[in-house]
Amino acid sequence: MGNPVIETKIRDFSIEDFLPIVPRELDLGEPARPKAGNLVKVVTGMRRSGKSYRLFQEMESLLASGVARDRVCYFNFEDDRLGRITPATGDEVLEAFYSSHPGAVDDGAYLFFDELQEMDGWGAWLRRIVDTTKATIYVSGSSSKMLSTEIATEFRGRALDFELLPYSFREFVVSRGLLEPGDVRRARDHDKRDRLVLSNAMRDYLEQGGFPAVAGLPAPQRIALLQSYVQRVVSRDVVERHDVARPRVASTLARRALGSNGKRMSIRKVENDLRSLGMPTSRELLGDLMGYFEDAYLLFRMREFSVSMSERTTSVPKVYAVDPGLAVASAGANVSDEGQRLEESVYLELRRRNVGFRRDGISSYHTREHGYEVDFVVGDVLEDAAYELYQVTASMDDAATARRETRALWELMSEQDLAEGYIIVGDGERRDYERGGRIIHQIPAWQWFLDVPA
């Protein structure tokens, strides 16, 4: 007799229960025809960032293209009723599906496995299914380890990975009905009223963030929900998964790291601070925990642009939360850090726009001559080549701020022999600065986020 929980989950699933689906801009490419040995498409990201709905979006597209419903199987492994999840659980899922839909064996199935990392030994199990099943397979997971370690071991080039972050600003305004899906107008083509609405929406985005479930919640409820997200990631994806012996240290470090959003965070200083609070720890443990936080997509660390690997290991990285709303929920009382959240949001957008690019290809930079800091250099560390330069600032109205932001770009553009640089400004107008055949483009933040790169 089959597992009644599994049979019920498969029988009762209906895509209609999740409509309407806000379309995500993460392109998974054309679906392959089902066959054994197909590449697996893996969508990873933090819990509650919308991975399930991105799978639903793919399913909806398949059904609209004429794929029969009885060839599509969706199963979410994050369910306490399942108990300990093993490869045998996965086999039961497929047995229950094919028993109800035997035609999918010969016609080929489209299999969607949500939060598959909950299964012990999921990598070897999935490899077996890929090799023996006529199927096209999509997987989601809440740990980047699904990409770096386990997939590299089990699949060796037989999986494509896709990183899904919470809503971008464009997705944020679409989800709120301020833009239609697929609206690709250049930002400068919007009329005066639209510009005002979208500029205000940019401020809302920096305050509320892009986790889908927070939309429309009053501030206290939004903050409580986002704090619960952090607690669940720390408890499930860090403490439990990595058997961390000091959960209080993990929780405190997570709050400290997210509260350092957009700033450099010294592990040595954190170690001293925690010891003074009566929490003995070590730099080794804190370093491991920061790596676990990154694996769970709670935050990212960005280092200095350098060709010297030894320099990179000793520099103090900047910390960016995975979402500006998460940073607000983790900040101390009376902390106003909109400038840091704008910088963080630009970093996240650069990750979205550079899919497949080596992650350390986004870094900060200090000029050689005067040590001026440029917020973001998008380039290749190993080749010592800078491709795009970005400064981020709340406003350029103050003459001293304008001089500081532009001088760093002028100097780095000269060092790298680049013709263009960009300043993304929270509050200001579009304008250009020119000097010696080089140009700096100043772009209002809401326009930069909405403009689709050519």
Side-chain angles (χ1 to χ4, degrees):
M1 183 175 176
N3 185 315
V5 173
I6 291 174
E7 292 175 350
T8 299
K9 282 169 66 74
I10 289 177
R11 182 183 66 245
D12 291 351
F13 175 79
S14 173
I15 191 70
E16 282 75 14
D17 293 339
F18 301 94
L19 301 178
I21 296 170
V22 176
R24 302 303 301 270
E25 295 188 345
L26 178 65
D27 185 4
L28 303 184
E30 288 296 315
R33 290 183 177 276
K35 66 179 179 64
N38 265 342
L39 287 171
V40 179
K41 294 185 177 179
V42 185
V43 179
T44 59
M46 185 180 145
R47 294 174 184 271
R48 306 297 175 252
S49 57
K51 300 184 302 298
S52 296
Y53 274 80
R54 183 59 190 87
L55 297 187
F56 298 157
Q57 180 181 337
E58 201 71 11
M59 294 165 62
E60 188 179 31
S61 176
L62 285 169
L63 295 174
S65 72
V67 173
R69 287 174 182 264
D70 59 7
R71 296 176 63 192
V72 178
C73 173
Y74 169 82
F75 195 87
N76 190 333
F77 287 91
E78 189 180 32
D79 190 324
D80 293 339
R81 296 175 299 170
L82 295 172
R84 184 185 172 207
I85 300 171
T86 67
T89 312
D91 291 340
E92 287 182 296
V93 168
L94 292 180
E95 182 179 350
F97 171 70
Y98 285 120
S99 294
S100 300
H101 309 289
V105 175
D106 294 326
D107 295 340
Y110 293 86
L111 306 177
F112 292 82
F113 300 132
D114 216 346
E115 301 293 358
L116 185 61
Q117 84 285 339
E118 298 292 337
M119 178 191 292
D120 297 336
W122 68 267
W125 177 80
L126 185 59
R127 176 62 184 265
R128 170 164 59 84
I129 301 308
V130 168
D131 288 342
T132 60
T133 308
K134 184 178 182 180
T136 296
I137 302 175
Y138 295 82
V139 170
S140 85
S142 299
S143 171
S144 64
K145 286 293 185 184
M146 294 187 76
L147 312 185
S148 58
T149 303
E150 291 168 303
I151 278 192
T153 301
E154 300 290 346
F155 288 85
R156 293 185 176 86
R158 297 182 62 185
L160 297 174
D161 57 89
F162 302 85
E163 177 181 276
L164 184 71
L165 303 176
Y167 285 158
S168 67
F169 177 61
R170 174 181 289 277
E171 291 168 330
F172 177 86
V173 296
V174 167
S175 72
R176 282 152 178 74
L178 302 178
L179 279 184
E180 291 296 320
D183 187 342
V184 295
R185 281 178 294 171
R186 303 298 290 181
R188 67 186 71 186
D189 295 333
H190 291 280
D191 61 28
K192 186 175 181 179
R193 179 187 175 281
D194 283 348
R195 288 168 177 244
L196 181 60
V197 168
L198 293 169
S199 179
N200 289 335
M202 185 79 238
R203 296 187 184 91
D204 291 341
Y205 178 70
L206 294 179
E207 183 73 18
Q208 300 170 21
F211 278 96
V214 307
L217 291 180
Q221 294 179 26
R222 181 181 73 246
I223 290 172
L225 180 61
L226 291 171
Q227 288 175 346
S228 75
Y229 287 179
V230 175
Q231 292 164 4
R232 185 163 178 80
V233 167
V234 172
S235 64
R236 289 291 300 274
D237 298 329
V238 176
V239 172
E240 185 179 312
R241 181 171 299 166
H242 298 284
D243 197 22
V244 174
R246 296 178 183 171
R248 187 173 167 224
V249 170
S251 296
T252 303
L253 179 62
R255 288 195 301 271
R256 177 70 173 265
L258 293 172
S260 300
N261 182 52
K263 302 173 185 175
R264 301 188 187 280
M265 192 183 81
S266 166
I267 290 295
R268 178 176 305 198
K269 185 176 187 308
V270 173
E271 179 192 20
N272 292 335
D273 290 347
L274 292 183
R275 287 182 180 276
S276 70
L277 294 172
M279 283 188 278
T281 185
S282 67
R283 263 173 277 172
E284 181 181 13
L285 173 60
L286 296 177
D288 287 344
L289 287 171
M290 290 296 289
Y292 301 154
F293 295 157
E294 282 193 279
D295 288 340
Y297 288 101
L298 188 63
L299 53 79
F300 302 106
R301 288 176 289 181
M302 184 188 72
R303 296 172 173 82
E304 288 278 333
F305 184 105
S306 171
V307 294
S308 169
M309 293 299 107
S310 61
E311 285 180 41
R312 289 177 56 77
T313 55
T314 57
S315 65
V316 177
K318 277 189 174 181
V319 175
Y320 293 113
V322 73
D323 174 76
L326 207 64
V328 170
S330 304
N334 302 318
V335 172
S336 177
D337 60 352
E338 187 170 316
Q340 279 77 34
R341 282 181 276 120
L342 176 60
E343 182 181 315
E344 166 213 12
S345 298
V346 170
Y347 170 79
L348 297 173
E349 183 65 14
L350 290 173
R351 286 182 75 99
R352 294 185 185 96
R353 294 184 183 187
N354 291 280
V355 174
F357 199 65
R358 216 174 20 236
R359 290 307 179 202
D360 61 2
I362 305 172
S363 52
S364 60
Y365 196 105
H366 282 86
T367 61
R368 298 189 184 109
E369 184 175 355
H370 292 103
Y372 299 146
E373 183 175 15
V374 173
D375 292 324
F376 299 113
V377 177
V378 181
D380 195 316
V381 172
L382 297 180
E383 297 296 330
D384 193 22
Y387 304 136
E388 297 174 4
L389 311 180
Y390 296 92
Q391 289 286 68
V392 183
T393 186
S395 172
M396 289 282 282
D397 292 343
D398 178 69
T401 301
R403 188 163 53 250
R404 181 179 66 250
E405 302 293 348
T406 55
R407 74 185 181 185
L409 283 175
W410 292 131
E411 188 160 301
L412 186 50
M413 288 161 67
S414 177
E415 287 181 9
Q416 294 287 339
D417 194 24
L418 292 172
E420 291 183 305
Y422 299 88
I423 293 177
I424 300 169
V425 60
D427 185 20
E429 297 299 319
R430 185 185 286 261
R431 63 165 294 186
D432 290 338
Y433 305 85
E434 297 186 46
R435 177 193 288 182
R438 293 186 167 90
I439 187 168
I440 295 173
H441 306 285
Q442 176 179 306
I443 308 174
W446 71 269
Q447 292 191 9
W448 182 78
F449 279 96
L450 289 185
D451 278 346
V452 179

